[in-house]
Amino acid sequence: MKLPSLSFDFIKSTDLSPYLTKGADAGNGVTLMIGDVYTYLLLGSGPLLIIAALVLVKVMYGRVKFFALEFGNGGFFGRLKIIGPSIVLGVALFLLGAGATWLGWQSMGYSVTLSAQGLHEVTRSQSIRYEWSDAMSAAERIKSTEFWVAFAKDGRKCRVAFQQRYIGEKLQDNAIAIAEAALAYSKVPRIKQDGSISAP
């Protein structure tokens, strides 16, 4: 039996577009990646949380004898009762740190590339290609400042937002040219800012 790989699959319907703030020229398209700020924040905070968890448990374990005696609980269960909340907090910090580190590592391998053929989504475990026929909605106006396009295929969803303030004018213009050419004669619903569908 093949076990499912750990990747961004568990949030395959989550909108990652707000975090796609790093752009690159892909030759025939524009590639977006999760910004370094988010990636390194996760990779940096994860180990710190793990260290904090280990230090907390170690320090409290060293002091548990004195806490236990002070409260008249010198036995094993008495000591366990005193250190119990610290162990629970330490485990929570450890799991949170491990999760943050894992997400940071995953984010370094995540990217989406918009081209004339559609959208190419890459994760640590797989590569998914969406055709333009898989586009399910798009911003009402393809503006120079920002716009977005959403795709769906086989139960997966991927929404990409291109924002000039993050990727620069050149990459934004390239993305606009690709999107306008693909959506010019398309029946993809165009969504207004208030969430309603724009009239054709």
Side-chain angles (χ1 to χ4, degrees), residues 11-180:
I11 52 172
K12 62 184 179 180
S13 298
T14 302
D15 180 12
L16 295 175
S17 60
Y19 311 106
L20 298 174
T21 58
K22 183 179 179 181
D25 188 346
N28 64 338
V30 178
T31 297
L32 293 180
M33 295 160 281
I34 293 179
D36 291 337
V37 173
Y38 305 108
T39 298
Y40 293 123
L41 180 63
L42 290 169
L43 290 176
S45 62
L48 290 177
L49 288 170
I50 292 175
I51 293 173
L54 297 177
V55 170
L56 173 66
V57 174
K58 182 178 180 180
V59 170
M60 293 306 296
Y61 180 79
R63 300 174 62 185
V64 66
K65 180 178 180 180
F66 303 100
F67 278 108
L69 292 175
E70 181 179 352
F71 288 95
N73 297 315
F76 172 78
F77 291 105
R79 296 182 182 186
L80 184 63
K81 180 180 178 181
I82 299 300
I83 199 177
S86 298
I87 293 177
V88 172
L89 179 58
V91 170
L93 288 174
F94 183 89
L95 293 176
L96 187 61
T101 303
W102 179 76
L103 284 175
W105 180 77
Q106 289 289 335
S107 68
M108 292 184 70
Y110 183 84
S111 67
V112 291
T113 300
L114 189 74
S115 67
Q117 288 71 45
L119 186 74
H120 184 199
E121 182 183 21
V122 177
T123 71
R124 285 285 187 183
S125 64
Q126 61 183 316
S127 174
I128 306 98
R129 293 186 179 275
Y130 302 87
E131 305 292 336
W132 279 104
S133 58
D134 298 319
M136 63 176 187
S137 60
E140 180 186 17
R141 297 177 59 192
I142 306 298
K143 300 187 295 184
S144 60
T145 54
E146 61 180 324
F147 72 92
W148 60 269
V149 183
F151 295 80
K153 179 181 180 180
D154 298 332
R156 295 186 63 94
K157 294 181 181 179
C158 184
R159 183 182 185 274
V160 288
F162 293 84
Q163 303 176 73
Q164 182 177 309
R165 66 180 181 273
Y166 292 130
I167 66 175
E169 184 177 352
K170 181 180 179 181
L171 291 180
Q172 186 74 4
D173 288 343
N174 290 346
I176 288 173
I178 293 170
E180 285 184 336

